Amino acid sequence: MTTATATGALGQLPVVVIGAGPTGLAAAAHLVDRGLEPLVLEAGERAGAAVRAWGHVRLFSRWGEVTDPAAEKLLAPTGWVKPDVTTYPTGGDWAERYLQPLADALGARVRLGARVTGVSRAGRDRIVDADRENQPFTVHVSYADGREERVLARAVIDASGTWSRPGPAGGDGLPALGERAAADHVSYRVPDLTDPAVRARHAGRRTAVIGSGASAFTALAALADLATSEGGAGTKAVWILRRGISGATFGGGTADQLPARGALGLAAKAAVDQGHADAVTGFRTRAIERDGDRLVLVAEDGRRLDPVDEVVVLTGFRPDLSFLDELRLGLDERLQAPLALAPLIDPNQHSCGTVYPHGVKELTHPEPGVYLVGMKSYGRAPTFLALTGYEQVRSVVAAIAGDHASAERVELVLPETGVCGGSGLFDQPAAADEDRAEESAGGGCCTPAPALIQLGATGPAPSCG
């Protein structure tokens, strides 16, 4: 079925937003604020489904850096109260105290269990030029109950993120030989060791952790904590690094301007220094072989590691572009990010503290009216900025509304370090209100010194990207 006729005025059609995560819901709020009608299509059964998947992670960013002004405006009449802006939410806090209320405020504009399977132009595949720009977008949707629908839209904002496509173990970007066959002992998320079943898979056993970012740090620190806890004796991590260890391997430590990120790096370093994790450098995985009930990792250079019981692959994420195949996108050949944005976010040159705010100018494609925003816009680049995502959708929605002056104006001033959308490991505060985190004693208001953290009180988990 089709929700609108092709003969209807293009401007009367909704703007389809793919994904009911932080950036997608912010886009919807901006559309409502502009008097435009959004239709948010979320594949999960609840708003913020991907965020909920890492709900036990405490963010690097504070509450004051993870809510959007237009969303707050929409929430205000509902009686919503903004959490203390100086505290750090977990993913679960973010979903329950902000994303779910925002989805509720949007009401029927958010459809759950609605997976987008394709986007094109009405009556035009990607080859056809004739009158292309005057045709509405067609968005094909598959619902959890088996129904299919074709929705017509004036514009499409893809905020579906990258969570569904984790990187593989293979050093060449492809699954290692045997990786799929070993799926019962290979995972692609930092294990939640607060889950008894997951804990049992790692306690007293040997786990290979492949990766070098915040998620790998989290896993190493969590496994080290397990090794020193009751029932965890004998737990060992083998840290697989494709490069060598340098002074920057563990991040900025006490000099890191994002204190939570610095603390995480220090915790990972302690795991290695204290013997709970062995680092294997220059190891690019070619194969994962069975050795009875255990696994052996084999490198491109022929090295074979001692058998392990579990493999945790934390090699980043990549965008799912399959359902956008009939659109004319301009994407960087390396990062799979918009061409004008890619040089600004290249991880070889930039961290989350050196990417400046950007908007519609950098997000425009050869296909007018389609925008990749949020983590999806960063392609394979890992250092997404939470506040920058909100600035992206503010600018994009202004452009859709025809307010080009606002669209081209930067309306966000980031702190010098930026705002990373990553995972942090924090002490749970001693106060009764578990959502309030104590400020680091003796640190400045902007860059308190990180300290090693107690991992047992919170469940470490992967970066939110």
Side-chain angles (χ1 to χ4, degrees):
M1 104 182 166
T2 301
T3 61
T5 63
T7 57
L10 193 62
Q12 300 303 309
L13 296 173
V15 175
V16 164
V17 178
I18 306 174
T23 308
L25 291 175
H30 280 274
L31 287 164
V32 171
D33 194 49
R34 289 274 184 175
L36 303 177
E37 189 62 21
L39 176 60
V40 182
L41 301 173
E42 166 59 47
E45 294 304 315
R46 302 177 71 186
V51 174
R52 294 176 190 276
W54 47 267
H56 48 298
V57 177
R58 194 169 295 279
L59 302 180
F60 289 147
S61 305
R62 300 175 184 180
W63 267 116
E65 299 156 342
V66 296
T67 61
D68 175 81
E72 292 184 27
K73 181 178 178 181
L74 186 64
L75 283 165
T78 71
W80 178 78
V81 177
K82 186 173 182 176
D84 185 339
V85 298
T86 66
T87 62
Y88 296 84
T90 64
D93 297 333
W94 202 12
E96 289 299 325
R97 300 181 63 183
Y98 171 66
L99 300 179
Q100 189 60 56
L102 181 53
D104 292 341
L106 288 163
R109 298 181 178 102
V110 178
R111 296 185 188 175
L112 303 175
R115 182 175 298 278
V116 173
T117 59
V119 183
S120 188
R121 292 277 190 177
R124 309 288 190 275
D125 62 22
R126 68 184 296 165
I127 299 175
V128 178
D129 291 331
D131 200 34
R132 185 179 188 86
E133 293 184 15
N134 294 320
Q135 302 305 310
F137 289 95
T138 59
V139 181
H140 287 227
V141 188
S142 176
Y143 291 95
D145 61 7
R147 291 180 299 120
E148 291 185 325
E149 182 179 22
R150 187 178 85 149
V151 177
L152 298 185
R154 64 180 293 180
V156 175
I157 300 175
D158 183 357
S160 58
T162 58
W163 179 254
S164 65
R165 296 198 67 208
D172 54 7
L174 300 173
L177 297 179
E179 183 173 342
R180 294 187 181 94
D184 54 336
H185 291 287
V186 179
S187 60
Y188 301 87
R189 307 285 189 265
V190 176
D192 177 8
L193 298 181
T194 63
D195 182 327
V198 175
R199 189 179 183 89
R201 290 181 60 169
H202 297 276
R205 299 188 177 190
R206 186 176 168 88
T207 298
V209 177
I210 304 176
S212 59
S215 294
F217 290 173
T218 309
L220 293 170
L223 290 168
D225 182 68
L226 176 60
T228 59
S229 65
E230 184 177 355
T235 303
K236 186 78 172 184
V238 181
W239 187 20
I240 310 300
L241 289 152
R242 293 172 179 171
R243 300 178 181 178
I245 291 181
S246 69
T249 298
F250 296 98
T254 56
D256 198 315
Q257 294 186 44
L258 289 169
R261 185 176 60 184
L264 184 58
L266 290 176
K269 186 176 187 302
V272 175
D273 291 345
Q274 295 169 10
H276 300 304
D278 294 331
V280 180
T281 60
F283 193 99
R284 297 179 179 272
T285 307
R286 176 176 61 82
I288 299 177
E289 299 179 354
R290 289 276 188 178
D291 182 5
D293 291 333
R294 308 184 83 193
L295 302 175
V296 174
L297 273 62
V298 183
E300 294 279 1
D301 60 11
R303 280 183 291 165
R304 302 172 65 88
L305 300 185
D306 291 338
V308 298
D309 300 285
E310 300 286 333
V311 177
V312 177
V313 182
L314 303 168
T315 56
F317 296 86
R318 51 189 63 178
D320 180 3
L321 300 168
S322 61
F323 60 88
L324 304 176
D325 194 50
E326 290 303 321
L327 298 177
R328 298 173 176 181
L329 302 180
L331 298 173
D332 178 76
E333 62 186 11
R334 294 177 305 145
L335 296 184
Q336 297 178 297
L339 282 168
L341 177 60
L344 310 180
I345 62 173
D346 185 345
N348 294 300
Q349 303 293 330
H350 296 281
S351 72
C352 59
T354 60
V355 177
Y356 67 81
H358 52 272
V360 69
K361 179 181 177 182
E362 292 83 2
L363 299 172
T364 296
H365 292 274
E367 188 82 67
V370 61
Y371 305 95
L372 278 59
V373 299
M375 194 64 227
K376 184 73 170 275
S377 72
Y378 272 44
R380 297 192 182 200
T383 51
F384 180 63
L385 310 161
L387 282 178
T388 301
Y390 296 150
E391 173 65 6
Q392 286 181 340
V393 296
R394 183 208 61 77
S395 175
V396 163
V397 169
I400 293 172
D403 186 353
H404 299 292
S406 178
E408 295 174 6
R409 186 169 59 243
V410 174
E411 296 186 0
L412 171 66
V413 178
L414 286 170
E416 185 177 347
T417 55
V419 182
C420 286
S423 65
L425 298 176
F426 285 71
D427 285 326
Q428 282 286 7
D433 181 0
E434 293 187 350
D435 293 322
R436 294 183 60 87
E438 298 295 330
E439 294 294 326
S440 299
C445 64
C446 297
T447 58
L452 285 177
I453 50 185
Q454 295 296 323
L455 297 172
T458 56
S463 166
C464 67

